[in-house]
Amino acid sequence: MDYACCPANWALLFLIIDSLHGGVSGVKSRNVRVGLTLAWVFFLQVMRIKYLLPDSELQNFALQVMEMLSAETSVDAHALGSNHSGFGEVVMHLSIDFKFGLSMTLLACVLYVLRIAVTNQMTEPTQRSFLVFLGKQLQSSEAGPSMKVAALRTLSYTLKTLGEVPFEFKEILDNTVVAAVSHSSKLVRIEAALALRALAEVDPTCVGGLTSYGVTNLTALRESVSFEKGSNLQFELDSFHGQATVLAALVSISPKLPLGYPARLPRLVFGVSKKMLTEHSRNPVAATVEKEAGWLLLSSLLASIPKEELEEDVFDILALWASLFTNNPENEIKKTDDLIALSYVSALTAKEVPNIKSAVDVFVIKTLIAYQSLPDPWSFKNDYPQIIQLCTFPFRYASECEESSCLRLLLDKRDAWLGPWIPGRDWFEDELRAFQGGKDGLMPCVWENEISSFPQLLDKYLLPEKEHFNPNTLGVSMEIWVLSKKDITLIVKPETISKTLVNQMLLFFGTMFASQDSAGMLSLLGIIEQCLKAGKKQHWHKASLTNICVGLLAGFKALLSFRPQKLGQEILGLAQSIFLGILAEGDICASQRRASSESLGYLARFGNDIFTARMASFFCSLGKSSCFDVEKQILFPHIIQGAGGIALSTLVPATVSSISSLAKSSVANLQIWSMHGLLLTIEAAGLSFVSHVQATLSLAMDILLSDENGLVDIQQGVGRLINAIVTVLGPELAPGSIFFSRSKSAITEISSWQETSTMLESARFTQQLVLFAPQAVSVHSHVQTLLSTLSSRQPTLRHLAVSTLRHLIEKDPASVIVEQIEDNLFFMLDEETDSEYNWKLSANNNYAITLCLFPFMSFTLDISMSQSGGRGVLATSMRNTENNNISPNDNPDSGLNLGDDENMVSGSNSVQSHKFQASIGAANREKYLRYKTRLFAAECLSHLPDAVGRNPAHFDLTLARKEHASGQSTGDWLVLHLQELISLAYQVLLSYA
């Protein structure tokens, strides 16, 4: 075998060359590690797909990947390669370089490889044994906390992918996952609780037993911790916290399960938590853990259970807080009316007690989250002065704050391809690239709906060592830590505590800014203006610019949702000067440039017509070669979006002319931003842009032909521009029109490069044609194009194809019936592991049934019986009588030549279609189908009585036989297959009993 072609070797070559030139460190080191992660994925995919490596051997590679988390464990690559010549050397180099410089990103990289390269490439039988393999890793004495976290997180994902709990895994559950609940590491305990939550989602019947087990254990542990001492006490406390975390996780998932939850669950859990909070141990260490566990359970209960279930206990729940705020730590705040939490924040910050900065920061974060959970920001207006004092800290003390990471979440997603965070092959890869890690961070919250993909590696962040810290010395009870009804942060990925604190301050600053009157806004803008002027030559100035962009952009977005009325000229002028000052610095990153441009666009929407006209006139007067050339591309479309009537008709021609002239530049970056500016202009102007379509198409073709280097970003920009034009032209895109020919030629050219980003625009072109120009291409051609895209290994392409297919079914279900795509859909559903895409495929199949696509019926029976020992399948495809007159010959395009260049979107699809037919179309129905696929097939059968419609012949045996005997109807009737359906139902039931 030739392993030189493996992408992993190219990544290794890069690392070696880079190391010879001084090594890697910091951000560059993280980028190299992410590159090696992708190399691992590509290597294992090549071995599985090209060299047909048995999926059962992926477990061996999984072990090698997990051992990278242990700095003391050496990688025995030669042992791994004993059975496969050539494997050892590649794996050894990958492992050594991958482990180089352990950091918090390493756990994220390992989780990515285990999920994408290992679990997703396994068949269902192998995934069953993989669960047992992961369980054994939890039992290994050599596995450290990070390895166990990786095993537990991968175990949870594998369970959800399988959709069932294998019997062999149930046998080792107590000695693996349940045992991890008592681990000394808090993060391991939380991950074990999340794994049991995943198990409850997959097998809801176990919730009752796990809940009873948890309550019983908590009761027993409460008694034992009162008497234990030394090391035994610590173990008992860890077990106590772990059991409480599991119970909180089960409470959170119970209302979402199909079987519901026991009626006694809310009262039972509340009773347990109440006892922990009111009848805690006399041992101060044990009492602290009991209180934390009690508030943990209560928080999960309040966040998850419907409020109607807790109405009888409202006063008892509120009474738990009565004693918390009676003894304040500072005499000067005893008689104030301020919220006590803010008083604690002020007191703790002023004291500057050493060794507890992280604890104080977490307390501030939780307090801000609690305020953000309130739906009405004016309900705590009296607390504004203290909150503003807190949230303006990043501007008043800029040198002491980190750079916020919120811009990625706040910026317009449509501009993402402009950078600096270029979307990858899927959302999971994007999260991996964005993950920064750190020395500390907030723990995963077991009752959150969406758990961060990559947890932090260290977990001793909340409080200092117990022997060095006594919360009573500050007058702060542990109960203060649970302030929010729904402890859900606005930050998707885990961050260090200091960065999370800055993020929460800036996000809440935006809420405060939008809640102020004119004087308050001017005051806050004045603080920001002073921050912008200070420290221009300091190393922290760049971070300060990002924080300014985050705070004001969050404020503008909140202002747009709170009160869309116009702002005063003084406010608009000061805000405009701030962003012009940022842009004038020149040496700013793409995210700061995008944020400033987008914020100026918001100002145009908040101002009156006079302000908008002046802003447009100002930027138009700058001409070419100004420092604002790039910003114009985003600013002008936002100005158009806020304009209307005569102003709209006046601004569009000037904007198109200005941006088009910049697009003719030889500078690639300016061309990219100019095309994006034209795209936004099209979206904002709508039909007012029709007169500029021909010139814009010519400009796009000129840019494409003049691109001698074949830059992917320019090709993607052309594709996005063409797709925007399709939405405007719509019905005018007839097969013989010049507009359609030019658009099709451009898309064909960019898709010939087979890059993911350009193929995405090609698939989006198909979607735009389906939505806005259905007359341009036949349904048959669309279906063939979509089927080839559905088989792509790029998740983003598959997601787009599935969405487009649903649109096509909605628009023309009769034509889709003729294509008979159900076999392909079911087999693709069976092979798909991405949960979101899996759901979309299921929704398409389900939706197709409701539209009476009755080829599903025979295939559904086929799938259901293939694994249940059935004696055969229905050979007749049943269809609704309303569509009985439809046949393949009725479709004028049924004999269409798939190679017809006029109707096909891209000439490259023919190759993909061939691959698709080889892998999917000729699939063997007798293969082992996934449990989820068989379950969905059974669900499809249950929809048949509703899907056949209201024709009485489907439910009247006499009438159905009469219609059938007459020979006048070509349809089939449900009642004629009643015996087969009942027999199949019994067979399926008995086979899974």
Side-chain angles (χ1 to χ4, degrees):
M1 295 183 184
D2 181 15
Y3 297 101
C5 63
C6 178
N9 290 336
W10 292 103
L12 288 173
L13 179 62
F14 163 74
L15 183 64
I16 294 171
I17 294 175
D18 194 272
S19 298
L20 293 176
H21 290 279
V24 291
S25 61
V27 176
K28 196 172 183 180
S29 174
R30 186 175 70 248
N31 293 338
V32 170
R33 186 170 287 113
V34 171
L36 288 171
T37 301
L38 298 180
W40 257 106
V41 172
F42 297 152
F43 168 69
L44 292 180
Q45 287 179 341
V46 167
M47 300 313 302
R48 180 79 177 97
I49 298 170
K50 183 176 180 179
Y51 298 112
L52 305 180
L53 176 75
D55 65 336
S56 59
E57 297 196 17
L58 290 173
Q59 291 185 6
N60 298 330
F61 291 97
L63 181 60
Q64 295 295 315
V65 174
M66 293 174 66
E67 285 180 346
M68 297 176 195
L69 293 171
S70 176
E72 297 79 21
T73 303
S74 60
V75 180
D76 189 2
H78 298 288
L80 179 63
S82 58
N83 296 326
H84 298 277
S85 176
F87 280 18
E89 184 177 356
V90 175
V91 173
M92 179 175 64
H93 285 300
L94 279 172
S95 302
I96 293 174
D97 291 326
F98 197 69
K99 283 179 59 177
F100 176 75
L102 290 173
S103 72
M104 300 307 154
T105 59
L106 182 57
L107 177 59
C109 293
V110 168
L111 287 173
Y112 186 87
V113 175
L114 290 176
R115 176 169 172 170
I116 302 298
V118 178
T119 308
N120 285 0
Q121 292 200 101
M122 288 179 170
T123 59
E124 191 175 70
T126 306
Q127 286 178 344
R128 290 169 174 265
S129 60
F130 188 49
L131 284 174
V132 178
F133 167 83
L134 292 172
K136 291 181 179 179
Q137 301 311 306
L138 295 175
Q139 292 178 296
S140 173
S141 59
E142 299 180 357
S146 55
M147 286 185 64
K148 293 190 176 184
V149 168
L152 287 166
R153 184 61 67 98
T154 307
L155 188 148
S156 299
Y157 175 75
T158 307
L159 275 175
K160 293 180 180 179
T161 302
L162 270 175
E164 62 176 338
V165 184
F167 176 77
E168 55 270 25
F169 178 70
K170 291 182 180 179
E171 291 184 325
I172 65 169
L173 182 64
D174 289 343
N175 296 327
T176 56
V177 180
V178 176
V181 171
S182 302
H183 196 273
S184 59
S185 169
K186 187 176 183 180
L187 186 55
V188 172
R189 298 197 296 270
I190 291 177
E191 290 296 331
L194 291 174
L196 290 175
R197 190 179 86 165
L199 185 143
E201 291 182 68
V202 173
D203 184 9
T205 60
C206 70
V207 173
L210 289 174
T211 303
S212 299
Y213 176 79
V215 172
T216 303
N217 266 6
L218 278 177
T219 303
L221 287 170
R222 284 190 68 236
E223 297 179 358
S224 62
V225 296
S226 301
F227 305 101
E228 293 289 351
K229 296 181 180 180
S231 59
N232 289 337
L233 174 60
Q234 186 59 53
F235 177 79
E236 295 291 338
L237 292 177
D238 291 338
S239 300
F240 187 85
H241 174 268
Q243 291 295 340
T245 305
V246 171
L247 193 55
L250 295 176
V251 168
S252 68
I253 198 62
S254 295
K256 304 167 189 171
L257 298 177
L259 300 179
Y261 56 91
R264 64 186 182 90
L265 178 65
R267 298 296 300 273
L268 178 64
V269 174
F270 174 64
V272 173
S273 62
K274 183 179 179 181
K275 287 184 178 180
M276 294 180 186
L277 297 173
T278 58
E279 303 174 10
H280 44 78
S281 172
R282 290 174 293 180
N283 184 328
V285 177
T288 300
V289 176
E290 277 192 62
K291 289 181 182 180
E292 183 180 357
W295 288 112
L296 179 70
L297 282 177
L298 185 59
S299 298
S300 179
L301 193 68
L302 295 176
S304 310
I305 301 297
K307 61 181 181 180
E308 294 79 12
E309 299 288 340
L310 302 171
E311 284 182 348
E312 297 180 2
D313 301 309
V314 168
F315 291 104
D316 291 337
I317 293 174
L318 293 176
L320 295 175
W321 274 273
S323 61
L324 300 184
F325 306 121
T326 54
N327 297 318
N328 299 334
E330 302 293 341
N331 294 329
E332 60 268 20
I333 62 175
K334 282 185 177 180
K335 299 181 180 180
T336 63
D337 295 328
D338 296 330
L339 184 65
I340 195 67
L342 291 176
S343 300
Y344 273 115
V345 170
S346 302
L348 292 174
T349 306
K351 281 194 170 186
E352 297 183 355
V353 180
N355 302 325
I356 65 162
K357 184 180 185 304
S358 294
V360 174
D361 288 346
V362 172
F363 180 58
V364 176
I365 293 171
K366 298 289 186 179
T367 303
L368 294 178
I369 292 173
Y371 274 107
Q372 286 176 311
S373 66
L374 299 175
D376 183 8
W378 287 277
S379 61
F380 49 88
K381 190 174 181 179
N382 293 336
D383 302 314
Y384 280 4
Q386 285 182 285
I387 296 176
I388 291 175
Q389 186 74 9
L390 191 63
C391 292
T392 54
F393 185 87
F395 307 127
R396 292 182 292 106
Y397 301 95
S399 61
E400 300 179 20
C401 295
E402 292 191 29
E403 184 177 13
S404 173
S405 60
C406 287
L407 272 185
R408 182 168 176 253
L409 304 176
L410 293 173
L411 290 172
D412 194 332
K413 300 299 185 294
R414 297 174 301 173
D415 307 333
W417 70 292
L418 297 175
W421 306 285
I422 305 298
R425 66 188 297 273
D426 58 13
W427 64 269
F428 198 45
E429 181 181 325
D430 294 341
E431 283 200 21
L432 176 65
R433 292 184 180 276
F435 181 75
Q436 298 180 7
K439 61 182 180 180
D440 55 19
L442 295 176
M443 284 290 175
C445 184
V446 295
W447 60 80
E448 286 185 2
N449 292 328
E450 297 293 335
I451 304 297
S452 298
S453 300
F454 307 116
Q456 295 287 28
L457 195 60
L458 299 182
D459 60 357
K460 293 184 178 180
Y461 71 92
L462 186 56
L463 297 174
E465 296 296 330
K466 294 179 181 177
E467 60 267 26
H468 299 303
F469 176 71
N470 181 4
N472 294 327
T473 60
L474 296 178
V476 182
S477 299
M478 283 297 298
E479 296 88 336
I480 302 297
W481 294 103
V482 185
L483 290 173
S484 174
K485 179 180 179 182
K486 292 189 176 181
D487 185 11
I488 301 176
T489 65
L490 297 180
I491 309 304
V492 175
K493 58 184 181 297
E495 305 278 5
T496 61
I497 292 176
S498 57
K499 179 160 290 191
T500 303
L501 177 61
V502 172
N503 287 337
Q504 293 296 340
M505 285 179 173
L506 294 174
L507 291 174
F508 203 35
F509 171 85
T511 303
M512 289 293 95
F513 179 84
S515 305
Q516 301 298 305
D517 55 17
S518 297
M521 289 184 181
L522 285 173
S523 175
L524 294 179
L525 288 174
I527 295 175
I528 291 178
E529 186 180 32
Q530 291 297 321
C531 176
L532 181 63
K533 294 179 180 179
K536 283 185 175 293
K537 297 183 180 181
Q538 300 297 326
H539 67 278
W540 45 263
H541 185 62
K542 179 179 178 294
S544 175
L545 293 182
T546 298
N547 294 344
I548 290 174
C549 292
V550 170
L552 288 180
L553 188 56
F556 293 156
K557 286 179 174 290
L559 187 62
L560 195 64
S561 61
F562 286 168
R563 48 179 187 183
Q565 65 263 30
K566 305 300 182 181
L567 297 179
Q569 293 294 320
E570 192 175 359
I571 297 175
L572 294 171
L574 183 54
Q576 181 180 350
S577 67
I578 290 174
F579 288 111
L580 290 179
I582 294 175
L583 295 174
E585 295 200 8
D587 187 20
I588 58 176
C589 63
S591 59
Q592 295 168 343
R593 192 179 303 278
R594 285 174 55 192
S596 300
S597 304
E598 192 173 328
S599 297
L600 286 171
Y602 276 113
L603 292 180
R605 300 173 67 177
F606 294 141
N608 54 27
D609 292 342
I610 297 177
F611 176 82
T612 302
R614 286 178 178 173
M615 179 181 287
S617 176
F618 168 75
F619 281 97
C620 286
S621 65
L622 295 177
K624 289 186 178 181
S625 303
S626 72
C627 61
F628 301 113
D629 280 348
V630 173
E631 288 71 27
K632 293 179 184 179
Q633 322 309 323
I634 292 183
L635 175 60
F636 281 154
H638 279 286
I639 294 176
I640 292 176
Q641 191 174 15
I646 298 177
L648 179 63
S649 60
T650 304
L651 286 172
V652 171
T655 299
V656 174
S657 175
S658 176
I659 297 179
S660 298
S661 63
L662 292 173
K664 297 176 182 178
S665 168
S666 59
V667 181
N669 189 50
L670 195 55
Q671 286 183 325
I672 293 170
W673 279 71
S674 298
M675 285 189 289
H676 187 67
L678 286 172
L679 182 150
L680 296 179
T681 303
I682 293 173
E683 294 179 351
L687 294 177
S688 299
F689 192 85
V690 172
S691 59
H692 305 281
V693 166
Q694 186 170 356
T696 304
L697 273 176
S698 299
L699 176 63
M701 294 300 295
D702 291 342
I703 293 175
L704 189 61
L705 294 176
S706 63
D707 178 26
E708 298 179 355
N709 297 323
L711 295 178
V712 176
D713 291 342
I714 288 182
Q715 294 173 357
Q716 184 182 8
V718 171
R720 290 169 63 87
L721 189 57
I722 295 297
N723 287 327
I725 291 175
V726 172
T727 64
V728 174
L729 290 178
E732 295 187 25
L733 281 176
S737 68
I738 185 64
F739 291 144
F740 178 73
S741 298
R742 288 190 174 184
S743 301
K744 180 180 65 64
S745 299
I747 295 297
T748 302
E749 173 63 23
I750 66 171
S751 60
S752 63
W753 292 83
Q754 297 293 310
E755 294 286 345
T756 300
S757 58
T758 56
M759 293 302 297
L760 184 65
E761 296 308 319
S762 178
R764 189 173 285 118
F765 182 65
T766 301
Q767 184 182 62
Q768 300 295 76
L769 292 176
V770 170
L771 293 175
F772 301 102
Q775 75 288 341
V777 179
S778 66
V779 171
H780 177 78
S781 298
H782 278 319
V783 169
Q784 297 304 314
T785 301
L786 291 172
L787 288 180
S788 63
T789 308
L790 281 168
S791 63
S792 170
R793 297 196 62 82
Q794 304 296 333
T796 51
L797 286 174
R798 299 200 304 271
H799 290 189
L800 184 59
V802 170
S803 300
T804 306
L805 184 59
R806 176 161 185 147
H807 294 315
L808 196 61
I809 294 173
E810 291 173 341
K811 282 184 171 291
D812 195 355
S815 298
V816 178
I817 291 177
V818 177
E819 300 298 326
Q820 298 184 354
I821 62 174
E822 302 79 32
D823 289 33
N824 294 328
L825 283 177
F826 264 106
F827 281 119
M828 283 182 291
L829 176 65
D830 185 64
E831 294 178 356
E832 183 59 47
T833 55
D834 187 284
S835 58
E836 180 183 357
Y837 178 65
N838 199 301
W839 179 87
K840 288 182 178 179
L841 270 175
S842 301
N844 271 10
N845 283 354
N846 221 335
Y847 189 76
I849 290 176
T850 62
L851 291 175
C852 307
L853 298 184
F854 274 89
F856 276 124
M857 182 170 186
S858 61
F859 185 68
T860 300
L861 293 172
D862 190 359
I863 284 187
S864 298
M865 298 183 70
S866 65
Q867 298 299 326
S868 62
R871 63 178 182 277
V873 299
L874 296 178
T876 305
S877 295
M878 302 184 63
R879 300 171 184 264
N880 191 303
T881 54
E882 296 178 2
N883 297 321
N884 283 337
N885 58 342
I886 298 176
S887 65
N889 296 328
D890 294 329
N891 186 353
D893 298 308
S894 60
L896 181 67
N897 181 7
L898 299 185
D900 190 335
D901 192 51
E902 179 61 35
N903 282 283
M904 292 303 291
V905 173
S906 170
S908 63
N909 286 335
S910 59
V911 178
Q912 293 184 2
S913 179
H914 173 72
K915 295 179 180 179
F916 172 80
Q917 294 295 336
S919 61
I920 301 293
N924 182 7
R925 289 187 176 184
E926 298 302 322
K927 73 170 188 173
Y928 193 97
L929 295 168
R930 291 182 181 273
Y931 172 78
K932 284 188 174 181
T933 307
R934 288 173 276 146
L935 179 62
F936 177 71
E939 292 176 355
C940 289
L941 287 176
S942 68
H943 285 280
L944 288 178
D946 294 327
V948 294
R950 299 182 178 179
N951 193 312
H954 281 297
F955 308 99
D956 190 323
L957 182 60
T958 303
L959 183 59
R961 287 174 175 173
K962 181 178 178 180
E963 291 284 340
H964 185 72
S966 66
Q968 298 178 356
S969 174
T970 59
D972 205 351
W973 309 108
L974 181 64
V975 70
L976 297 180
H977 300 278
L978 186 60
Q979 181 177 353
E980 289 91 340
L981 288 171
I982 294 176
S983 175
L984 176 62
Y986 271 107
Q987 292 170 14
V988 173
L989 179 64
L990 293 175
S991 66
Y992 294 109

